[in-house]
Amino acid sequence: MPAASCWLLYSAKDLAVNGDFATLVRRQGEKRGLLIEPVTLEELRLGVHADGTPFCLRNHVPDRPSMVLSRQRHTLVSRHFEAMGVPVYNNARVCELCNDKRQTHQFLRGLPMPETLFLRPDQVSPPAGLPYPLVLKPACSHGGDRVTLVRDAEEWRLAASGILPEPAIQQSVVSDAGRDLRVYVVFGQIVAGVMRTAREGIVSNFKLGGRAELHVLTPAERSLAQRVIRRVEEAGAPLCLAGVDMLYEHGQPVVGEVEDVVGSRMLYQASNIDIVSLFLDGICDHLSKEK
């Protein structure tokens, strides 16, 4: 039986800094009969024929994989492959809900989270509503990019000038700022939790110097993570490989965000859990059930 071809889809910029992860995925895929090949968005051209049939060109040649492991953040791209009949993990609905923090918070309404305002692209002064200090950040970024603690209107304008007119949000500062929990999820199941702590300030991202330790989930943390997992799954957005991030308000977990293209470097450093193997085993199980 020939190996199933699979594209591990990145932007060229992201692949350049995630080569070790891509190599790990490829090697573990070979053990499972999956021929996994890193492919970049820049190699592809997507479109539709005159009869409305979607197509994909790779380096100007028609091509299509048997599946896509998506490590890119463009809903249009994921949806296009799905329209071609190609399974995408995580799917386009996950991409849509998780890569715009405005949509994430809007969708997870009713769950505990920091108070959040969606900023207008033409916003030139701080909107009334949240007292200082507050957090300003892009709505569609990741990895702690331009997450800024602002203490007054002057700092707000300086931070906003580095983001707007990109989509942006401002949030209240949680009482326990500077630490957060990432709950790793594989095919709807909680795999592990990693507590991240900032060395200074409020940004605890591992790649920005935050400390990471394996964490045993409390009943409250597990319950909140499961509520998020169920909510998105019921909306057609199963979390095949993702992270549910939590902040803390007076010791109680609140939803921070949901990571579609979740990083695993800190999990490998903090534990012996091989989340790539768990993910690929889940894909093989899913494919066998589809036959």
Side-chain angles (χ1 to χ4, degrees):
M1 178 177 176
S5 75
C6 173
W7 289 357
L8 183 64
L9 190 58
Y10 280 99
S11 69
K13 179 180 178 182
D14 284 345
L15 179 58
V17 296
N18 288 282
D20 290 344
F21 180 83
T23 297
L24 176 61
V25 173
R26 180 177 56 78
R27 288 176 177 170
Q28 294 290 9
E30 289 174 354
K31 298 177 182 179
R32 294 161 174 81
L34 300 173
L35 181 60
I36 299 175
E37 180 184 7
V39 175
T40 66
L41 295 173
E42 289 76 4
E43 298 174 59
L44 306 181
R45 294 293 181 269
L46 307 179
V48 293
H49 293 296
D51 64 358
T53 304
F55 67 86
C56 171
L57 302 179
R58 182 182 177 193
N59 296 324
H60 311 293
V61 177
D63 201 355
R64 61 175 285 154
S66 58
M67 72 187 84
V68 169
L69 308 186
S70 180
R71 304 294 290 179
Q72 57 83 39
R73 297 175 174 85
H74 299 282
T75 304
L76 176 70
V77 173
S78 295
R79 192 165 283 142
H80 191 86
F81 281 107
E82 290 176 352
M84 293 175 64
V86 176
V88 180
Y89 306 92
N90 294 311
N91 71 20
R93 183 63 169 145
V94 176
C95 189
E96 178 183 37
L97 288 176
C98 298
N99 288 298
D100 184 330
K101 296 174 179 63
R102 298 168 301 177
Q103 292 201 53
T104 304
H105 288 293
Q106 189 179 69
F107 177 75
L108 294 176
R109 61 191 178 277
L111 299 183
M113 62 183 69
E115 185 169 344
T116 303
L117 288 176
F118 306 159
L119 299 180
R120 299 194 316 269
D122 61 348
Q123 197 96 38
V124 294
S125 59
L130 293 182
Y132 295 105
L134 52 83
V135 176
L136 199 66
K137 56 187 173 182
C140 302
S141 67
H142 59 281
D145 175 39
R146 288 171 287 169
V147 176
T148 308
L149 178 67
V150 299
R151 300 172 181 83
D152 54 39
E154 183 178 350
E155 289 187 355
W156 187 98
R157 291 187 181 91
L158 181 61
S161 69
I163 303 173
L164 299 174
E166 291 179 41
I169 61 174
Q170 72 176 41
Q171 293 182 312
S172 60
V173 180
V174 294
S175 63
D176 305 351
R179 72 183 183 107
D180 67 78
L181 174 67
R182 169 157 293 167
V183 179
Y184 284 92
V185 181
V186 175
F187 281 88
Q189 300 300 311
I190 294 173
V191 171
V194 174
M195 186 68 73
R196 304 183 295 186
T197 306
R199 294 192 181 276
E200 60 180 356
I202 64 169
V203 180
S204 59
N205 298 73
F206 186 62
K207 288 200 293 186
L208 298 180
R211 296 187 297 270
E213 296 179 324
L214 199 64
H215 174 79
V216 178
L217 271 62
T218 67
E221 292 161 352
R222 183 172 292 275
S223 174
L224 182 56
Q226 289 173 334
R227 292 172 71 186
V228 172
I229 293 167
R230 284 195 300 270
R231 177 81 65 88
V232 296
E233 185 167 359
E234 290 168 357
L239 299 181
C240 300
L241 176 60
V244 177
D245 290 352
M246 299 180 191
L247 306 172
Y248 292 89
E249 186 69 56
H250 302 295
Q252 295 301 308
V254 299
V255 175
E257 56 188 286
V258 183
E259 285 286 345
D260 168 21
V261 184
V262 66
S264 60
R265 186 179 291 108
M266 66 181 180
L267 181 61
Y268 279 103
Q269 291 203 12
S271 76
N272 59 3
I273 298 169
D274 185 357
I275 196 167
V276 166
S277 289
L278 295 175
F279 173 50
L280 295 178
D281 286 343
I283 287 177
C284 291
D285 289 345
H286 186 258
L287 292 175
S288 65
K289 292 175 182 176
E290 291 290 306
K291 291 181 180 178

